[in-house]
Amino acid sequence: MSGSALPLGVLLAFFDVPRPASAQTSQTLDPVTVAPATPRGTAAPAGNRPQGVPKRAKRAARQTLPKPPQPISNSEQPTPLNSNVVATSTNRLGLTVHETPATVEVISQQQMQEQGYRTTTETAQGAVGVLAGDAGGAPASFSMRGFSFGEVNVLYNGIWVGPGDITSRVIETANLQQVEFLKGPSSLMTGLNAIGGSVNYVSRQPTTGPIQNELDASFDSLGTYRTHYGSGGSTNISGLDYRFDVSSSKINSFIDGDYQQLGNVSGQLNYRVTDDFKVFVAIDYKRDEGHAYWGTPLTTTAFSGPFSTGGVVAGSMINAFGNTTNALISGVTVDSRTTTTNYNVADNSTGAQELWLRSGFELAINNQMTVKDQAYVYTAQRHWFDSETYAFNPDENAIDRDRFFVTHDQQVIGNNIDFNWNTSFYGMENRFATQFQVSQNKITFTEEGNPNSFPFDTVSVVNPSPGTYGMMFPDTRYNTLDTVALSVEDRLKITPWLSLIGGVRADDFSLSRSGSNFDGTIPDGQPFTTDWKPVSYRAAAVFEPLKGLMIYGMYATAYDPAAAGIFSLAPGTSLALTSARIYEAGAKVITDDKRAEATISVYDIDRQNVYVQITNNVATLAGDVHTQGIEFAAAVHPIDNVKIWGNVALMDSKYGNFDVWTGNTPSNVAPVIVNAGASYRFDSWRWPTEIGGSIRHVGARYLFEDDMTVMLPYTTADLFAFVDIPGRDLPWQGLDKMRLMFRVRNLTNALYAQFSDPGLPNQVLLGAPRTFELSASAKW
């Protein structure tokens, strides 16, 4: 039909063939500014290296419909929960967060600054039901809705470059516009690994208007410092806008000798060739180097005696190397003498260099049709050189250690092209979007290959002698993943208050692997090639009975490799994909004055055909993981100078049909997470001042899948105060204002287990102690 798009039901029927997966979403350009919108063995769930095995119809009058909404510009005021933002990683229809039938959360740059989120890991601190940690082999890893590490996708401007547990790095937030959290299975949008959800980092975008500059710096009591300069606006060339950011940080750990040195330079040019044709080019270079914190080893109360700590861990464990007379080690604790101890070798090192090049265009064919294209190249070199596993040996009252190194050399090239059609179908408003993606992902691993190098040595619990790495035995593995994906989405607004929204994604993956071992032999079954053709879905019904109230029901699916990360699969192990699905219902409400909003969702997720690590080197098939939960978030600005926000997540996650641990809870899954915060601004003062704080409570979690070791509940609190000094009171001409801020993190100096890497089952990642921070920022 002329002027009409295929309805949702036809689209779903047309694409009814098995396929979810690879993730890359195109850049969404603003209509004015051209701005876009480790294993320890065969199948460790986290780490920094390959994980190995793992007919009489009346024609409707043609309508002229507005284009889908675009992301809000930097100058627009966000709502309390940022629901007026278009999160492009969650849909391609131009729907705002409020309109999207899924649980979506956006952390804006303003929130990062006000709440003191310095890294992407810290952005999870106020997010609903999200945990995060900087595991040594998998920094910036997330746990959402019962799934963690590689089961949560990590994207950069909507582009997927591989499982997060091998590609993620510690990333500064200064160069980011926002961080988007999409909860639950979502392969339609983000491809493989989107079981627990996805996390998308969006870089800062050019704006149209006067040039705005900003400079900020901070320093804390651990010796961490951060500096950032940013600039953006319109140039003297008509239609040409820019954004440039450069940041440098040294993040000092509370662990002796551990730190991360971070550097980031990014820039983007947007050019409006005509009102209907816009182009962009962007570059982003990141570098990090330093020493990773792999965790603090657990000891026993029998050994630590008066130095045993309470409220951190409880239960029992088994030595990861099997080096003890009795397999079960009871009465675990953290020894207070070891809370800052570094158990790594003296010559340990970790680091990475990453380069992004992106370019594309947006062409408005007419008022209803838009074509967008984005081409990209990504390269990365990463390395780890460490002793990583620390296991208490009660026979010797000492710590057994290993050695492991790995390097990555990765190149990704791809292109995404989108077509959006905003039209009508028999008088009903209809939005249609389709995307075609193609990419090639090549990654070479060089890693420690000698199985007899574990454990390598034993050191004392207190004041250990670091030693050095020693001899290396490199294995080499070559991996190439070719991906072709086609996805379609549609929203059919049947009535002003009822909509059907859904989509289908068909993928074609081809994986090839080859390599050689340290002794010159060829790995069993290599070289080999395999392929998958999964299909994923999302379907939802949306009801809007009242203005500002949206009620939805949703179903979605996702897939990922069952036995291990996609770059770690090998013949002889399962090459099947897991299947995951979610049922979710929820409501979103926002007041007319945009001062208050709230969201609530209930969900049920089931993931089938799951391989789970049962020892340090062995994985087995578990029938499924089943997660159910409720999430609630609210925020209100009752008056101009008051902000109040809070959220709570309740969750139950269990292994099912699992002969070994049926009924067990996966690692890093908390039954309850609560966040709350408030601030008050004294606007009438000559120098406006704001004071505020936040509190976070996380329930008990298990360190490893055997549920023997419990990381006990913890509660932390932060306080902040900042003063805005207007330009009239500053000695420097041209400054709009300067902000001075003081912050206290972990006010009560709580000692707690923040996160764990289940591939390292005898150690926990402790949270940082109380720290004090001073910062200053200026705008002109």
Side-chain angles (χ1 to χ4, degrees):
M1 283 183 196
S2 174
S4 64
L6 289 173
L8 178 64
V10 176
L11 292 172
L12 291 175
F14 183 76
F15 281 90
D16 189 20
V17 268
R19 304 171 171 215
S22 173
Q24 294 112 21
T25 60
S26 288
Q27 179 123 354
T28 301
L29 302 181
D30 186 272
V32 176
T33 65
V34 201
T38 352
R40 239 351 339 101
T42 55
N48 55 31
R49 62 265 185 189
Q51 299 176 20
V53 313
K55 228 139 204 229
R56 280 185 1 183
K58 192 173 184 180
R59 184 182 297 267
R62 193 169 175 179
Q63 298 179 348
T64 300
L65 301 172
K67 294 181 181 179
Q70 300 295 321
I72 63 171
S73 71
N74 292 344
S75 62
E76 290 186 70
Q77 183 65 32
T79 60
L81 290 178
N82 293 321
S83 68
N84 59 336
V85 174
V86 174
T88 56
S89 65
T90 67
N91 73 90
R92 301 183 182 93
L93 295 168
L95 304 180
T96 65
V97 170
H98 179 80
E99 297 170 312
T100 303
T103 302
V104 180
E105 189 167 2
V106 174
I107 308 299
S108 66
Q109 176 60 218
Q110 179 180 339
Q111 287 174 296
M112 297 177 205
Q113 295 177 13
E114 293 181 355
Q115 299 299 322
Y117 301 152
R118 298 166 295 184
T119 66
T120 56
T121 304
E122 292 183 350
T123 62
Q125 288 182 355
V128 187
V130 182
L131 296 176
D134 289 321
S141 288
F142 299 89
S143 176
M144 299 194 308
R145 292 192 169 182
F147 303 92
S148 58
F149 290 96
E151 298 157 349
V152 176
N153 251 348
V154 177
L155 316 170
Y156 181 78
N157 288 308
I159 301 172
W160 182 80
V161 295
D165 51 5
I166 66 171
T167 62
S168 290
R169 307 300 302 170
V170 177
I171 298 179
E172 250 281 3
T173 57
N175 295 53
L176 298 179
Q177 179 166 297
Q178 63 193 42
V179 178
E180 303 167 356
F181 294 90
L182 173 62
K183 312 289 184 60
S186 53
S187 284
L188 170 68
M189 294 305 305
T190 63
L192 282 172
N193 308 117
I195 308 300
S198 63
V199 182
N200 183 38
Y201 306 142
V202 181
S203 58
R204 287 197 173 186
Q205 302 298 312
T207 54
T208 298
I211 291 176
Q212 296 285 320
N213 302 285
E214 55 191 277
L215 179 67
D216 47 271
S218 66
F219 180 83
D220 76 10
S221 53
L222 289 174
T224 292
Y225 70 81
R226 306 169 67 221
T227 58
H228 163 254
Y229 168 76
S231 180
S234 299
T235 69
N236 291 331
I237 301 175
S238 179
L240 181 64
D241 306 323
Y242 79 97
R243 178 72 200 187
F244 172 78
D245 292 276
V246 57
S247 61
S248 178
S249 306
K250 183 180 181 181
I251 301 178
N252 266 4
S253 171
F254 60 95
I255 299 298
D256 298 335
D258 285 349
Y259 69 88
Q260 292 293 316
Q261 187 82 48
L262 310 178
N264 190 182
V265 179
S266 60
Q268 181 166 327
L269 294 174
N270 291 347
Y271 183 52
R272 298 187 304 279
V273 181
T274 69
D275 289 342
D276 296 326
F277 183 53
K278 309 157 189 177
V279 297
F280 80 93
V281 60
I283 184 171
D284 194 340
Y285 173 77
K286 298 183 179 72
R287 181 187 180 101
D288 67 81
E289 57 183 349
H291 306 287
Y293 171 44
W294 291 88
T296 297
L298 306 182
T299 60
T300 64
T301 54
F303 167 79
S304 298
F307 300 102
S308 301
T309 59
V312 182
V313 295
S316 56
M317 65 182 178
I318 297 173
N319 180 285
F321 302 113
N323 287 353
T324 60
T325 302
N326 296 314
L328 189 64
I329 304 172
S330 300
V332 299
T333 189
V334 170
D335 193 304
S336 62
R337 295 168 294 180
T338 69
T339 55
T340 64
T341 302
N342 188 343
Y343 288 90
N344 214 331
V345 292
D347 53 349
N348 77 89
S349 176
T350 182
Q353 296 185 70
E354 299 175 279
L355 177 65
W356 280 98
L357 299 173
R358 298 179 296 120
S359 185
F361 68 83
E362 178 178 327
L363 173 63
I365 299 174
N366 55 39
N367 195 47
Q368 290 82 38
M369 299 180 184
T370 303
V371 177
K372 295 177 288 186
D373 185 82
Q374 178 176 216
Y376 57 89
V377 177
Y378 169 78
T379 64
Q381 295 78 41
R382 314 179 191 95
H383 77 271
W384 291 260
F385 187 80
D386 299 277
S387 172
E388 303 176 356
T389 308
Y390 319 133
F392 180 69
N393 187 331
D395 296 343
E396 301 183 28
N397 287 333
I399 302 296
D400 296 329
R401 303 191 308 178
D402 68 352
R403 300 288 190 273
F404 195 87
F405 82 91
V406 65
T407 67
H408 298 174
D409 188 359
Q410 184 177 17
Q411 303 86 36
V412 184
I413 185 170
N415 190 84
N416 306 332
I417 186 165
D418 291 66
F419 174 76
N420 291 70
W421 190 5
N422 188 38
T423 183
S424 66
F425 179 75
Y426 291 108
M428 298 177 286
E429 180 184 331
N430 194 82
R431 293 184 187 179
F432 173 81
T434 184
Q435 183 180 80
F436 179 72
Q437 307 174 2
V438 59
S439 69
Q440 183 176 78
N441 191 334
K442 291 186 175 182
I443 184 168
T444 299
F445 301 103
T446 303
E447 61 180 346
E448 181 66 61
N450 186 355
N452 299 317
S453 63
F454 311 117
F456 196 85
D457 63 359
T458 299
V459 297
S460 62
V461 175
V462 180
N463 299 319
S465 176
T468 56
Y469 186 94
M471 186 80 67
M472 291 187 294
F473 301 90
D475 286 351
T476 302
R477 300 290 186 268
Y478 304 97
N479 305 271
T480 300
L481 178 66
D482 294 309
T483 302
V484 177
L486 176 65
S487 62
V488 296
E489 291 181 82
D490 192 86
R491 185 183 80 161
L492 180 64
K493 202 158 189 176
I494 298 175
T495 71
W497 52 270
L498 173 62
S499 301
L500 298 180
I501 303 175
V504 182
R505 178 187 179 107
D507 286 277
D508 190 325
F509 302 109
S510 178
L511 173 69
S512 61
R513 298 195 71 204
S514 62
S516 60
N517 297 327
F518 73 96
D519 56 3
T521 61
I522 301 300
D524 292 342
Q526 294 194 22
F528 85 100
T529 299
T530 189
D531 60 82
W532 303 271
K533 293 178 172 59
V535 168
S536 55
Y537 310 87
R538 183 165 71 187
V542 173
F543 303 89
E544 300 175 87
L546 301 173
K547 181 181 179 182
L549 173 63
M550 190 273 269
I551 303 171
Y552 69 92
M554 183 265 288
Y555 170 82
T557 64
Y559 300 83
D560 71 342
I566 194 164
F567 295 122
S568 304
L569 296 173
T573 64
S574 173
L575 298 179
L577 299 179
T578 70
S579 62
R581 60 91 182 133
I582 183 174
Y583 296 108
E584 180 175 325
K588 304 179 183 184
V589 61
I590 184 169
T591 59
D592 285 343
D593 59 8
K594 304 298 189 288
R595 285 186 176 272
E597 60 181 315
T599 67
I600 186 170
S601 61
V602 295
Y603 61 87
D604 184 295
I605 301 173
D606 191 65
R607 184 188 185 208
Q608 299 284 339
N609 195 35
V610 183
Y611 274 76
V612 178
Q613 182 183 13
I614 61 172
T615 71
N616 204 35
N617 297 303
V618 178
T620 191
L621 179 67
D624 72 307
V625 178
H626 189 199
T627 301
Q628 296 175 310
I630 302 173
E631 295 177 350
F632 173 78
V636 59
H637 301 168
I639 55 178
D640 289 341
N641 55 347
V642 173
K643 298 177 184 177
I644 304 172
W645 61 273
N647 55 69
V648 59
L650 305 175
M651 177 170 51
D652 180 69
S653 184
K654 302 292 184 184
Y655 286 114
N657 304 313
F658 192 178
D659 291 341
V660 183
W661 294 318
T662 295
N664 280 15
T665 297
S667 60
N668 289 307
V669 175
V672 58
I673 302 175
V674 180
N675 299 290
S679 67
Y680 185 87
R681 182 176 177 84
F682 298 89
D683 246 339
S684 61
W685 296 5
R686 181 176 179 88
W687 291 359
T689 300
E690 187 166 335
I691 58 174
S694 62
I695 189 169
R696 177 171 173 83
H697 174 78
V698 177
R701 297 131 291 133
Y702 293 105
L703 188 157
F704 186 58
E705 268 58 30
D706 59 13
D707 286 9
M708 290 169 51
T709 308
V710 183
M711 298 182 290
L712 295 173
Y714 69 87
T715 302
T716 58
D718 294 352
L719 293 178
F720 70 85
F722 60 76
V723 179
D724 290 329
I725 307 175
R728 66 174 182 269
D729 294 334
L730 294 170
W732 305 284
Q733 294 185 8
L735 288 187
D736 296 334
K737 70 176 181 180
M738 175 176 283
R739 172 170 290 183
L740 303 178
M741 178 175 286
F742 175 71
R743 186 181 304 277
V744 185
R745 304 178 189 272
N746 191 1
L747 180 65
T748 63
N749 200 31
L751 178 65
Y752 63 98
Q754 180 188 30
F755 209 65
S756 75
D757 181 345
L760 309 173
N762 299 137
Q763 59 215 63
V764 295
L765 295 165
L766 297 176
R770 180 170 52 228
T771 57
F772 304 93
E773 181 185 68
L774 287 172
S775 63
S777 63
K779 295 184 178 182
W780 68 96

